[in-house]
Amino acid sequence: MAMAMSDSGASRLRRQLESGGFEARLYVKQLSQQSDGDRDLQEHRQRIQALAEETAQNLKRNVYQNYRQFIETAREISYLESEMYQLSHLLTEQKSSLESIPLTLLPAAAAAAGAAAASGGEEGGGGAGGRDHLRGQAGFFPTPGGASRDGAGPGEEGKQRTLTTLLEKVEGCRHLLETPGQYLVYNGDLVEYEADHMAQLQRVHGFLMNDCLLVATWLPQRRGMYRYNALYPLDGLAVVNVKDNPPMKDMFKLLMFPESRIFQAENAKIKREWLEVLEETKRALSEKRRREQEEAAAPRGPPQVPSKASNPFEDEDDDEPAVPEVEEEKVDLSMEWIQELPEDLDVCIAQRDFEGAVDLLDKLNHYLEDKPSPPPVKELRAKVDERVRQLTEVLVFELSPDRSLRGGPKATRRAVSQLIRLGQCTKACELFLRNRAAAVHTAIRQLRIEGATLLYIHKLCHVFFTSLLETAREFETDFAGTDSGCYSAFVVWARSAMGMFVDAFSKQVFDSKESLSTAAECVKVAKEHCQQLGDIGLDLTFIIHALLVKDIQGALHSYKEIIIEATKHRNSEEMWRRMNLMTPEALGKLKEEMKSCGVRNFEQYTGDDCWVNLSYTVVAFTKQTMGFLEEALKLYFPELHMVLLESLVEIILVAVQHVDYSLRCEQDPEKKTFIRQNASFLYETVLPVVEKRFEEGVGKPAKQLQDLRNASRLIRVNPESTTSVV
């Protein structure tokens, strides 16, 4: 019940705040007078705040719904605009068709008018002839300003003469006069605008010929003269009406792959004339070429073979049978979709509808499959091949590293698949791998170099091997069923990418002189990530081994030199005294360290209290040598076998030579006994542990370590001898 009262109070408060005559000052004044105290005001404030939050949530919800509806409406408007443009195009075609109907009736009307004029007398005939003469001279020389349209001139020579006279005012277009049958259809002044920012660029003059459009720029210093700017064939030109958006109005766009240009006419009437005459001229050119193709594809009658009587040079004894000529099969190219194919391809390329363009090409290839290639087919294929070249250039640009590399390998699938459908499998493979190489390089460069080397290596391995794995999977998806040579190219690319990774890895791990333990952990992380590629059948472990072998050799050599120098320094200060660790805790810690090094019988070398019956030099040498061996085994692979073995032998020889020299040179019997005890620990405990651990880590025994241990028997058999072990 209390909740119902609360709801009713909230609704009453909402109605009060939403009323048209609400005044906040008066409302607060009344509320202060009616409240019993601070508590009532606080409760009322909470109710208003809750109401404000509820209103804000409703407002957000409404904004979100309106935003979705706005997006859907914009999409519908886009569809409607496309349909309206198509409808406008169809209406323009219908209008031109209706206008052409009276022209077909002109000959009959002219004949009837001639008959009526003949019956009417000679004076009437003269008047009609004058009117016809005036109609025939409707064409005129266009002025520099405005727009004009050539009518039916006095013939081809008159049209050519008009075109020649006009183009003499345009610099750099004399080569246009070499095209036979070319004449001027329409021309006029235009203003060109930038396509992106709609900024005015320049004043131009357009010359529409029966097969092309010439654009010339004004020469301000020379009035009435122009300079050649561009020439566009009509069969590769698409005209788009631009909706008026004040102050930008009376504009239309010309699409010519790979560019587009926007022009503004002087007024709406001239703009409409440009659009109509462009469409009519394009349609007339298409119809003309269609008729030429039909005439070229039409079957010709069999050639007449001259008789023997009419050929005085024919040998009478030549009785070889005549070979009948095979009549060339006719290919029907009059279908509407074939006639409009070049323009449809231009539109698809301009609208980035790559799939639609390739579908049209596949449809044409399927239709012309197993058909002969007469001249009309060759001409059509030449036009289509030019569009294929343009489409290929666009797809190549889509895969170029200059484009955005975001989206991962899947972002390239669209362009790659269409290149493969166009028969450009090798190029698609090359561009795909080049794009992915740039993406991997960018990802590595964007990694922040952290203070901790191991943390950076974890991030580097995650970024690189994840990208490599995604690239491999996308490559397998895109190029499944293609030439196996593409897979070889991928392996070569993977090796190159691994080289890029190893450069960044070595620069951070080995060039910065990290400890051997840190380097071993980093190499272990890289190997583990590399082994994950085995899930897709890609094993690059041998490549990373080959690329890291020199750096690891250098690290082993450097650490070996550090151990040898430290051992020699301790040897120079050797007093041959027992170790006193002072506390049981220190003794227990040493026992654990020796146990972790593999020395299980260290208890027999400990004495009473905290004494150890070994020299500090020998104990330190043991820990350092076993630590070096453990870290080196983490870095081990077969190419490093001899390097690791020789390093171990060099380190051990330093200790062996020192013990041998001390045993031969010491005169004090007690110290000599202590030295012999240390030698026994070194030869009978440490060397077997090193040999066993090396064999476990490598998988095979080391003859050099066995020979080194056997050579130490000379000291045990004849310790008084001065013979050198080395």
Side-chain angles (χ1 to χ4, degrees):
M1 184 175 181
M3 186 177 298
M5 292 177 63
S6 175
D7 293 341
S8 62
S11 61
R12 185 169 59 254
L13 177 61
R14 184 183 294 107
R15 287 194 301 272
Q16 188 176 1
L17 294 176
E18 291 176 351
S19 62
F22 176 76
E23 293 185 6
R25 186 183 299 275
L26 181 62
Y27 176 75
V28 172
K29 183 178 179 180
Q30 293 176 356
L31 186 65
S32 301
Q33 293 174 354
Q34 296 174 1
S35 62
D36 295 337
D38 182 65
R39 184 174 180 180
D40 289 344
L41 291 176
Q42 292 288 344
E43 292 178 354
H44 203 80
R45 180 190 177 199
Q46 291 178 0
R47 287 198 296 271
I48 294 177
Q49 188 172 0
L51 187 61
E53 292 177 354
E54 181 183 354
T55 305
Q57 291 294 330
N58 293 333
L59 184 61
K60 289 181 181 179
R61 193 178 302 109
N62 292 334
V63 168
Y64 176 71
Q65 292 177 354
N66 292 338
Y67 181 67
R68 291 185 58 188
Q69 293 176 0
F70 174 76
I71 293 176
E72 294 174 358
T73 305
R75 189 181 297 113
E76 293 296 331
I77 290 174
S78 176
Y79 294 154
L80 182 61
E81 183 179 5
S82 176
E83 292 176 356
M84 289 298 294
Y85 174 72
Q86 294 177 4
L87 182 60
S88 173
H89 185 72
L90 292 174
L91 290 174
T92 304
E93 291 183 350
Q94 292 293 332
K95 178 183 176 182
S96 61
S97 300
L98 292 175
E99 289 177 349
S100 64
I101 292 175
L103 296 178
T104 59
L105 302 177
L106 280 179
S119 63
E122 182 178 356
E123 183 179 356
R131 287 192 298 272
D132 290 343
H133 176 71
L134 291 176
R135 188 185 301 114
Q137 297 296 328
F140 61 94
F141 188 85
T143 59
S148 63
R149 183 170 183 172
D150 277 10
E156 294 297 330
E157 293 183 0
K159 293 179 180 180
Q160 184 67 25
R161 190 163 50 251
T162 302
L163 178 63
T164 304
T165 306
L166 181 61
L167 294 182
E168 286 177 353
K169 295 181 175 291
V170 182
E171 296 181 355
C173 67
R174 302 296 297 177
H175 62 282
L176 295 176
L177 303 179
E178 300 175 359
T179 305
Q182 192 175 57
Y183 59 89
L184 185 68
V185 178
Y186 191 77
N187 75 99
D189 293 337
L190 297 168
V191 180
E192 183 175 6
Y193 281 78
E194 188 181 9
D196 296 330
H197 306 291
M198 300 303 292
Q200 184 173 334
L201 292 179
Q202 58 186 345
R203 293 181 61 191
V204 299
H205 197 89
F207 299 92
L208 178 62
M209 270 71 79
N210 58 325
D211 60 349
C212 62
L213 174 66
L214 185 146
V215 179
T217 57
W218 281 75
L219 293 176
Q221 298 83 5
R222 302 171 61 186
R223 184 173 179 83
M225 296 296 292
Y226 311 97
R227 178 181 289 113
Y228 171 80
N229 178 263
L231 181 69
Y232 303 109
L234 289 184
D235 54 1
L237 190 69
V239 185
V240 178
N241 182 23
V242 178
K243 290 170 54 179
D244 289 348
N245 186 17
M248 303 302 174
K249 59 181 182 178
D250 304 330
M251 292 183 174
F252 60 92
K253 181 186 290 187
L254 298 182
L255 302 177
M256 312 77 60
F257 180 84
E259 60 177 322
S260 63
R261 301 177 71 171
I262 294 181
F263 299 101
Q264 184 183 45
E266 184 177 352
N267 51 50
K269 178 183 177 183
I270 295 178
K271 170 191 172 181
R272 185 169 60 254
E273 289 182 358
W274 269 107
L275 294 176
E276 292 176 357
V277 76
L278 277 168
E279 290 295 336
E280 291 175 6
T281 308
K282 286 182 61 179
R283 192 179 304 106
L285 179 63
S286 176
E287 183 67 20
K288 175 184 175 183
R289 292 185 174 173
R290 185 181 67 80
R291 288 197 302 268
E292 291 176 353
Q293 291 176 359
E294 291 179 354
E295 292 174 0
R300 297 190 178 95
Q304 296 181 356
V305 181
S307 62
K308 292 185 179 181
S310 63
N311 189 356
F313 300 100
E314 186 176 3
D315 189 359
E316 294 181 359
D317 298 332
D318 188 5
D319 296 333
E320 294 182 2
V323 179
E325 292 188 3
V326 179
E327 182 179 346
E328 195 173 45
E329 183 182 352
K330 180 181 177 181
V331 180
D332 184 13
L333 300 179
S334 61
M335 289 178 285
E336 183 179 359
W337 70 271
I338 294 182
Q339 294 295 320
E340 297 179 355
L341 183 64
E343 294 183 1
D344 291 342
L345 288 175
D346 289 334
V347 172
C348 288
I349 294 172
Q351 295 179 350
R352 299 173 58 81
D353 184 12
F354 306 135
E355 294 83 358
V358 179
D359 290 341
L360 288 174
L361 293 172
D362 288 344
K363 183 178 180 181
L364 177 66
N365 292 331
H366 180 71
Y367 177 74
L368 296 179
E369 187 179 5
D370 300 332
K371 286 185 173 61
S373 298
V377 174
K378 293 180 180 179
E379 183 180 355
L380 176 62
R381 285 198 178 275
K383 295 180 182 178
V384 171
D385 290 343
E386 177 64 21
R387 270 69 176 185
V388 171
R389 183 188 63 79
Q390 296 173 359
L391 177 61
T392 304
E393 289 178 356
V394 175
L395 294 174
V396 168
F397 178 72
E398 287 293 314
L399 292 174
S400 64
D402 298 333
R403 299 282 288 172
S404 176
L405 298 174
R406 297 180 180 179
K410 293 183 180 179
T412 63
R413 182 180 298 176
R414 185 183 180 208
V416 168
S417 61
Q418 302 312 314
L419 276 177
I420 293 175
R421 290 180 63 189
L422 289 174
Q424 303 283 345
C425 182
T426 303
K427 181 176 291 187
C429 176
E430 177 186 354
L431 294 171
F432 172 78
L433 296 178
R434 190 183 303 169
N435 179 280
R436 297 312 305 153
V440 171
H441 179 68
T442 303
I444 291 176
R445 286 184 58 188
Q446 290 177 350
L447 272 179
R448 293 180 56 189
I449 299 179
E450 305 287 349
T453 301
L454 189 58
L455 178 61
Y456 172 79
I457 294 302
H458 272 288
K459 292 183 178 180
L460 176 64
C461 291
H462 175 73
V463 168
F464 174 76
F465 286 102
T466 300
S467 298
L468 196 62
L469 190 62
E470 291 177 353
T471 302
R473 287 173 175 165
E474 184 63 25
F475 185 90
E476 189 174 6
T477 301
D478 292 345
F479 294 92
T482 58
D483 185 11
S484 59
C486 293
Y487 289 89
S488 302
F490 177 77
V491 174
V492 173
W493 173 86
R495 180 183 179 86
S496 174
M498 187 65 74
M500 187 192 314
F501 164 77
V502 169
D503 288 342
F505 181 92
S506 299
K507 188 180 297 183
Q508 189 68 16
V509 175
F510 296 107
D511 294 352
S512 58
K513 304 299 181 183
E514 293 288 343
S515 64
L516 190 65
S517 60
T518 302
E521 286 297 326
C522 292
V523 172
K524 180 182 177 183
V525 170
K527 286 183 179 179
E528 289 175 352
H529 278 83
C530 192
Q531 290 171 357
Q532 294 177 1
L533 298 177
D535 298 340
I536 60 172
L538 184 63
D539 186 6
L540 300 178
T541 308
F542 68 99
I543 294 179
I544 198 172
H545 286 172
L547 295 174
L548 287 175
V549 63
K550 289 185 178 180
D551 292 325
I552 296 178
Q553 285 179 357
L556 292 176
H557 179 75
S558 299
Y559 203 68
K560 176 199 70 175
E561 294 297 331
I562 293 174
I563 294 177
I564 290 177
E565 289 298 323
T567 304
K568 287 182 178 180
H569 180 71
R570 288 192 297 266
N571 290 343
S572 65
E573 299 177 354
E574 179 61 78
M575 303 297 294
W576 292 115
R577 296 176 181 175
R578 292 192 305 163
M579 292 179 62
N580 184 5
L581 298 178
M582 306 300 292
T583 61
E585 290 79 8
L587 180 61
K589 182 178 179 181
L590 178 61
K591 289 180 180 179
E592 289 297 327
E593 290 177 352
M594 299 305 290
K595 185 177 180 181
S596 64
C597 291
V599 181
R600 307 295 182 184
N601 58 347
F602 187 72
E603 293 285 347
Q604 66 185 31
Y605 295 100
T606 59
D608 298 334
D609 297 332
C610 299
W611 290 90
V612 177
N613 298 326
L614 292 173
S615 168
Y616 168 76
T617 301
V618 174
V619 172
F621 169 79
T622 302
K623 292 193 295 183
Q624 204 166 19
T625 302
M626 293 305 299
F628 171 77
L629 178 59
E630 289 296 333
E631 301 300 337
L633 287 176
K634 294 179 182 179
L635 298 168
Y636 177 83
F637 45 86
E639 290 82 358
L640 296 171
H641 183 83
M642 291 306 302
V643 177
L644 176 57
L645 191 55
E646 291 172 359
S647 300
L648 277 175
V649 171
E650 289 184 38
I651 293 172
I652 294 172
L653 278 176
V654 175
V656 169
Q657 290 171 359
H658 174 63
V659 172
D660 178 29
Y661 176 78
S662 300
L663 196 57
R664 286 187 286 106
C665 298
E666 185 61 54
Q667 301 299 326
D668 187 355
E670 292 184 2
K671 286 190 175 182
K672 206 164 190 176
T673 302
F674 183 68
I675 294 172
R676 192 176 291 111
Q677 188 176 3
N678 281 273
S680 174
F681 173 75
L682 186 62
Y683 300 135
E684 297 178 1
T685 302
V686 176
L687 292 184
V689 170
V690 171
E691 185 179 344
K692 179 182 178 183
R693 184 69 188 94
F694 184 87
E695 184 177 351
E696 289 175 354
V698 174
K700 58 182 178 180
K703 186 175 182 301
Q704 290 86 340
L705 294 177
Q706 294 175 355
D707 295 341
L708 182 61
R709 184 161 56 89
N710 293 333
S712 65
R713 294 177 181 174
L714 293 173
I715 301 176
R716 296 199 300 274
V717 172
N718 188 9
E720 304 296 333
S721 172
T722 58
T723 304
S724 176
V725 177
V726 184

